[in-house]
Amino acid sequence: MSLEKTQSYQFIKRTNLSLSRLGEREIYLEPAPPYKSYPQAERIPLQIKEFPETESFFKILAKRRSHRRYRKYPITLDEISLLCFSAQGITAKAGYYLLRTAPSAGALYPIETYLAINHSDEIKPGIYHFEVRSFSLEKLMEGNFGRILRELALGQAFFETASCVFIWSAVLRRTLSKYGERGLRYIFMDVAHICQNVLLSAEALGLKACPVGAFLDEEFNEFLGIDGVEETVIYMATVGK
């Protein structure tokens, strides 16, 4: 089979920009709401008293590695707060837009952050949604779901021993309504920016982390209670000690 016949190549080719096609749109979608929240959920406020002193940025870059061996040590609320801020913390306001620590195409921010906390003495184990506007976690389910996460991640054992797991979904319509099918490229770029922020912040805090792209898509969506159409899981990262 030639590369040109694969769906991956066809997608890249179909979403190429060229001078002859500028302004063309292959799809037209209504935009999605820019923020997601669970108003009935219990909220746990996050807090950053001050930013900790760390090694130089370039030393942190040089030391970053993916680590999959963790002990079941608890993660603190301060550590969770700093990691969530690194992922999608608000740093400025430009008109209607709430600008974040990671860039996003068109400032549309299609990525939603969920957090599975396995081991912590300060926040109950469970599944949480990061509500960016209030800088808080919304509790969706209580309990240690490490074993379930392990199964959904194709048996990768470190999902069970990690202190917490970042789970990122994409609200596709937020970006596709402006950029058409090419917007899918931007969505994956967006989540990569966010994940790298978390990985580097984990290293700066003396934690270990590992990005993960192998998981059961439909089953993970069902587990989180999202439909897999308007919103779907696209990336994850484990964090541990």
Side-chain angles (χ1 to χ4, degrees):
M1 183 177 183
S2 66
L3 177 64
E4 289 83 355
K5 292 182 179 179
T6 65
Q7 291 187 13
S8 301
Y9 175 83
Q10 291 297 324
F11 171 76
I12 293 293
K13 193 69 176 177
R14 187 172 67 253
T15 57
N16 279 351
L17 288 180
S18 65
L19 289 174
S20 63
R21 294 182 57 206
L22 282 181
E24 290 184 12
R25 288 290 299 274
E26 67 291 321
I27 58 171
Y28 291 89
L29 295 172
E30 293 295 321
Y35 306 102
K36 181 177 183 179
S37 66
Y38 293 81
Q40 304 305 317
E42 175 188 349
R43 283 192 178 179
I44 292 88
L46 298 174
Q47 57 189 17
I48 297 179
K49 301 170 185 175
E50 60 181 359
F51 292 117
E53 295 292 330
T54 65
E55 290 187 286
S56 78
F57 176 70
F58 293 101
K59 286 185 178 179
I60 292 168
L61 278 178
K63 290 174 62 177
R64 194 221 63 80
R65 290 291 181 274
S66 296
H67 290 271
R68 299 171 177 83
R69 299 182 65 181
Y70 311 118
R71 297 181 183 273
K72 295 180 179 180
Y73 290 158
I75 191 167
T76 68
L77 183 60
D78 285 345
E79 290 167 335
I80 292 170
S81 298
L82 287 164
L83 291 171
C84 286
F85 174 79
S86 301
Q88 289 187 295
I90 295 171
T91 55
K93 185 176 181 180
Y96 178 77
Y97 298 103
L98 299 178
L99 306 182
R100 322 279 172 86
T101 51
S104 176
L108 295 171
Y109 303 104
I111 305 304
E112 294 291 332
T113 297
Y114 296 84
L115 198 60
I117 298 175
N118 293 336
H119 309 293
S120 176
D121 295 333
E122 299 181 60
I123 182 170
K124 292 180 179 179
I127 306 298
Y128 297 82
H129 172 255
F130 176 43
E131 211 288 314
V132 296
R133 291 171 296 179
S134 62
F135 195 56
S136 64
L137 294 180
E138 299 172 315
K139 186 194 293 183
L140 306 184
M141 294 180 276
E142 187 172 318
N144 188 317
F145 295 96
R147 185 174 296 277
I148 294 176
L149 296 174
R150 172 180 179 168
E151 293 172 356
L152 294 175
L154 306 180
Q156 298 178 83
F158 58 94
F159 272 78
E160 192 171 354
T161 55
S163 301
C164 67
V165 180
F166 279 81
I167 306 166
W168 290 294
S169 69
V171 180
L172 301 173
R173 188 181 291 267
R174 283 185 196 157
T175 299
L176 299 186
S177 62
K178 180 174 183 178
Y179 294 110
E181 286 195 311
R182 187 177 175 87
L184 186 59
R185 296 191 188 194
Y186 303 153
I187 288 171
F188 287 117
M189 294 176 193
D190 279 13
V191 76
H193 299 318
I194 291 169
C195 183
Q196 180 73 336
N197 277 7
V198 170
L199 299 179
L200 293 176
S201 298
E203 185 63 44
L205 293 171
L207 305 170
K208 304 302 178 185
C210 180
V212 177
F215 51 87
L216 299 172
D217 297 72
E218 293 183 8
E219 288 81 355
F220 231 116
N221 289 334
E222 183 178 355
F223 173 67
L224 288 181
I226 58 180
D227 64 7
V229 179
E230 294 291 333
E231 181 182 1
T232 186
V233 174
I234 59 172
Y235 206 19
M236 291 185 287
T238 58
V239 178
K241 301 186 178 183

